[in-house]
Amino acid sequence: MRALRPFAGMGRLVPVRLRGWVRGSEIALVLLAAVTGCLGGLAVAGMSAAAQTLREILYRLPAGERLSSLARLPTDAVLGFPFLGPALGGLVLGVLILAIGHGRKRRAAIDPIEANALHGGRMSLRDSGEVAAQNIVSNGCGASVGLEAGYTQVAAGIASRLGSAFEMRRSDLRTLVGCGSAAAIAAAFGSPLTGAFYAYELVIGTYTIASLAPVVVAALCGSLVARALAPNPALIDVGALALGKGTALGAADTLPCLLLGLVCAGLAVALMRGVTWVENGVRATRLPVPLRPVLGGLCIGLLAWVTTPQVLSGGHGALHLHLAPETSLTVTALAGLIAAKAAASAVSIGSGFRGGLFFASLFLGALVGRLFAQIAPLVWPDFADFGLAPIGYAVVGMSAFAAAIVGGPLTMTFLALEMTGSFPVTALVLAAVIASSLTVRKTFGYSFATWRFHLRGESIRSAHDIGWMRSLTVGRMMRRDIRPVSLDTPMATFLRAHPLGSPSRVVLVDQFGRYAGIVLVPEAHAHAAPIGLGEPAHLSDIARDTDAFLLADMSAKQAAEAFDGAESEALAVLDSAENRHVIGLLTESHTLKRYSDELDRQRRAMLGETA
């Protein structure tokens, strides 16, 4: 029996009648989103349990104990050398990299943002599973990465596979991938609103009425399933803690929060650039890729050994500690912990461990908020008059720093709301998040995910669907029924073959069949009028755009730029710049019409108009 390719033919596995109902019914999409949410919640619970089990085995932790909450690394862990834990995990990760790459060309796994921006929601479930396995090993050995990247990868991969099986439309498949991501984040934090807005801002790219029900249902299902399987939430409930000083929060309290947002933005940009700097340094060592995590793991383990285990893993336990009011560190200790955690995160990702900076950014933001609350009174005489307590500034800093790294301002605002249950504090969080996001956008231009795409050469700045624009190529739009004319054709012969009223443009080729320009038929007749008075005109004298042409793989946007650059209404399409063989002709008006039609179709799909 012929094996099915990853996506082609998957619809045959589903009855035609059921497939048609799912494609044409909004209720069916909601039901499929609920299934996706439940599977996403199961995946999150399973990954979390697997990573915790690895940590307990490797570091001899009591059941349920968080690695980053330890005061010191256990001396009996990893055969008496606990600082080797991340390096051992790096060795296992290297073996996994070799095993995954054996026998097939290595390629980067498509993540949910890239899938929705470029591939219409198409993802490989196999690749997603491999990323999740690497993420579990990375987090479980103590590398300073969170599991959220693996959560969203595998949940979105499941969603994409389900949608492909039902041969869903491009817009619906993108929505379903967003549902998987929403379920993963909602399950990870026990926060359905956070999960839903994560999907809208980062994966789907926009909020529409058509996507409201499926995304929210998926987030609710993911959160409920994860809570049923793992009742302990990832974040402590800070609603019962003293976020304020007992006085009502007012408009004046926005001022320090705006300043904190700006501080978080600057530090977040430094962290993102630090990851790139470490990557370049590791690459300069010319170590084989599978050995790079071993080197990075050794550095992380030694850092945790000489400073604190709080720099290890995602930082859940450490965040619990620093959101507790009884935890109090000096300014020096807080600054040192921030630097150590940032360094551990940069080294972890830069050396090849799999994971993201989602939770690390929350932890770092909380630390920055507490540090801000301690330093500000020393330089701001009236700072004590503001109403937020140090824990309140920790929550504000946590949201602002994460918004700068992750790129979801409303996501982090709703996370703060669901954590605190306080609307006044959430309003201050929103102000800080806006300041942080706007500063990063104007000074740096990327979130961490889109910065990584930029480094790979992709021009993705958000999850908005630009894949259709790339697929609208010159090769798809051009006319192929053209008959080039030889450049040495006599003018009289050309005029007889192309009288006024015939097609207005003719493509010229030289004696070797290579492109030689375009002749406008009316212009040829105008130049030929005074032939009897002197030398006959030649086609080469009136040939236009001899060095301006299009290639078949150019996008509609590139074609429009070529038309502007050549100041021409039509250009020939060549097979390559070297061969210069003519394969078609494209006009600017037809390009703009096709682009406008596709844009209108995408707009209607976004609004749920499937007619």
Side-chain angles (χ1 to χ4, degrees), residues 285-296:
T285 65
R286 298 191 178 181
L287 271 176
V289 172
L291 291 181
R292 292 175 186 176
V294 179
L295 175 63

Side-chain angles (χ1 to χ4, degrees), residues 260-270 272 400-401 404 435-440 443:
L260 178 54
L262 296 177
V263 171
C264 288
L267 293 175
V269 171
M272 289 187 278
F401 201 102
S436 175
S437 300
L438 188 60
T439 301
V440 171
T443 60

Side-chain angles (χ1 to χ4, degrees), residues 24 104 106 121 128 131 193 257 284 291 393 436 454 501 550 560 566 573:
R104 62 190 177 106
R106 184 186 300 160
S128 297
V131 169
L193 284 176
C257 293
L291 291 181
Y393 285 110
S436 175
H454 168 72
L550 301 173
V573 184

Side-chain angles (χ1 to χ4, degrees), residues 205-511:
T206 186
Y207 163 83
T208 64
I209 296 297
S211 64
L212 174 63
V215 171
V216 171
V217 166
L220 285 170
C221 289
S223 177
L224 291 173
V225 168
R227 286 190 178 190
L229 297 175
N232 296 323
L235 293 175
I236 60 175
D237 180 11
V238 299
L241 300 179
L243 300 176
K245 298 176 180 177
T247 58
L249 297 174
D253 290 291
T254 305
L255 252 141
C257 293
L258 287 173
L259 179 58
L260 178 54
L262 296 177
V263 171
C264 288
L267 293 175
V269 171
L271 176 58
M272 289 187 278
R273 290 199 178 276
V275 172
T276 305
W277 181 81
V278 172
E279 273 188 338
N280 293 336
V282 172
R283 197 177 295 118
T285 65
R286 298 191 178 181
L287 271 176
V289 172
L291 291 181
R292 292 175 186 176
V294 179
L295 175 63
L298 183 60
C299 295
I300 297 161
L302 290 172
L303 182 62
W305 181 255
V306 300
T307 57
T308 170
Q310 292 181 24
V311 304
L312 296 177
S313 200
H316 290 76
L319 184 60
H320 279 71
L321 290 176
H322 291 280
L323 285 180
E326 60 270 13
T327 301
S328 179
L329 295 178
T330 64
V331 169
T332 304
L334 271 174
L337 180 55
I338 291 170
K341 180 62 178 178
S345 297
V347 171
S348 296
I349 296 178
S351 62
F353 284 101
R354 295 306 294 257
L357 291 176
F358 195 123
F359 206 93
S361 65
L362 293 174
F363 178 38
L364 283 168
L367 295 177
V368 171
R370 295 210 67 162
L371 181 62
F372 177 83
Q374 292 191 33
I375 292 179
L378 304 178
V379 295
W380 193 339
D382 299 328
F383 186 80
D385 297 336
F386 295 113
L388 271 183
I391 300 302
Y393 285 110
V395 172
V396 172
M398 178 182 68
S399 303
F401 201 102
I405 294 288
V406 178
L410 287 179
T411 301
M412 299 311 160
T413 302
F414 278 104
L415 178 60
L417 176 61
E418 290 181 293
M419 282 179 58
T420 64
S422 170
F423 283 99
V425 171
T426 303
L428 298 178
V429 165
L430 182 59
V433 159
I434 290 172
S436 175
S437 300
L438 188 60
T439 301
V440 171
R441 183 178 179 83
K442 293 302 180 183
T443 60
F444 188 62
Y446 301 90
S447 66
F448 182 66
T450 53
W451 172 240
R452 308 289 286 170
F453 295 141
H454 168 72
L455 294 177
R456 281 166 37 195
E458 289 286 358
S459 57
I460 306 173
R461 288 183 177 268
S462 71
H464 287 91
D465 189 7
I466 61 173
W468 65 269
M469 189 187 302
R470 292 192 178 187
S471 65
L472 189 63
T473 61
V474 169
R476 287 180 54 191
M477 297 185 292
M478 69 182 184
R479 281 179 45 205
R480 298 178 183 272
D481 56 337
I482 60 169
R483 296 180 179 178
V485 172
S486 176
L487 186 63
D488 56 7
T489 301
M491 180 62 76
T493 304
F494 178 86
L495 295 178
R496 284 195 300 271
H498 301 88
L500 289 172
S502 63
S504 60
R505 298 177 183 87
V506 178
V507 176
L508 301 178
V509 293
D510 62 16
Q511 65 269 30

Side-chain angles (χ1 to χ4, degrees), residues 121-200:
R122 299 279 180 173
M123 296 176 65
S124 166
L125 184 56
R126 175 181 176 177
D127 288 352
S128 297
E130 291 169 354
V131 169
Q134 294 176 53
N135 196 182
I136 290 171
V137 171
S138 300
N139 181 273
C141 75
S144 186
V145 293
L147 285 167
E148 292 75 24
Y151 292 158
T152 55
Q153 182 77 35
V154 74
I158 291 170
S160 181
R161 177 58 63 90
L162 282 174
S164 298
F166 285 96
E167 296 186 359
M168 300 180 74
R169 295 181 180 86
R170 183 185 183 96
S171 59
D172 290 340
L173 184 57
R174 293 181 74 253
T175 298
L176 198 61
V177 168
C179 290
S181 301
I185 296 300
F189 295 103
S191 306
L193 284 176
T194 301
F197 276 87
Y198 179 91
Y200 291 135

